[in-house]
Amino acid sequence: EVLLVESGGGLVQPGGSLRLSCAASGFTLSSSWMSWVRQAPGKGLQCVANIKQDGTVKYYADSVKGRFTISRDNTKNSLYLEMNSLRADDTAVYYCARDRGGSGDFGSDYWGQGTLVTVSA
Amino acid sequence: DVQMTQSPSSLSASVGDRVTITCRAGQSISTYLNWYQQKAGEAPKLLISAASNFQSGVPSRFSGSASGTDFTLTISSLQPEDFATYYCQQSYYNPYTFGQGTKLEIK
């Protein structure tokens, strides 16, 4: 059974940092593109970042470019999102998701349960 | 980023109704269009990928189609468990982008 379990969310002050982790099981992490997708309270979905199987290619939404870093450790079956210079509008549930297809372009077929990040003073 | 415009933003319908949700891409995305269903408090669920290919386990009342930059999700006969929010997503250009969502409510 494919499982994705996020952790690391919490309350952080504006300007602060947080590191999210996603533990993957039930499949070979190194064979999949992976994504972080967020959802602000009562709002829609936004792809924050995604990363190629070997970690050599990464893409970011403009709103997080330069502040967030996606990474992975296939030996530990883990995906990460390092978030710096956090702002109030980064408040959201952050989901880890597995992307289908060799190029990760056929949708995200498995999602974690999400971890809530709240940026507030 | 590629803009995805979904309509309507909300929809009231009854069990048994046929409903259609539309998504328009701001530029050509071939058929790299996916549909998700999200229920309150849950993660999204992938229903359809590549415009018309439905995921294993998705009921056959769901279908997707494409015409140029316009995409549709059709539910042929609404069931009580279908009341949820639906999102389209383009996966042709990075960063992938979602439509704003369509909330399907019980009339």
Side-chain angles (χ1 to χ4, degrees), chain A residues 35-39 45-48 93-97 111, chain B residues 98:
Chain A
S35 290
W36 287 100
V37 177
R38 70 182 180 184
Q39 186 168 37
L45 301 167
Q46 182 188 24
C47 292
V48 172
V93 173
Y94 284 74
Y95 294 102
C96 158
W111 297 64
Chain B
F98 288 91

Side-chain angles (χ1 to χ4, degrees), chain A residues 37 39 43-47 50 59-62 95 100 103-109 111-112, chain B residues 1 32 34 36 38 42-46 49-50 55 87 89 91 94-100:
Chain A
V37 177
Q39 186 168 37
K43 303 297 184 182
L45 301 167
Q46 182 188 24
C47 292
N50 58 355
Y59 296 102
Y60 297 93
D62 285 345
Y95 294 102
R100 290 182 66 242
S103 298
D105 46 10
F106 289 103
S108 300
D109 59 352
W111 297 64
Chain B
D1 296 357
Y32 288 85
N34 312 303
Y36 297 84
Q38 187 180 32
E42 298 183 6
K45 173 186 175 183
L46 179 63
S49 62
Q55 288 293 98
Y87 294 93
Q89 178 205 36
S91 52
N94 269 297
Y96 299 155
T97 44
F98 288 91
Q100 77 276 20

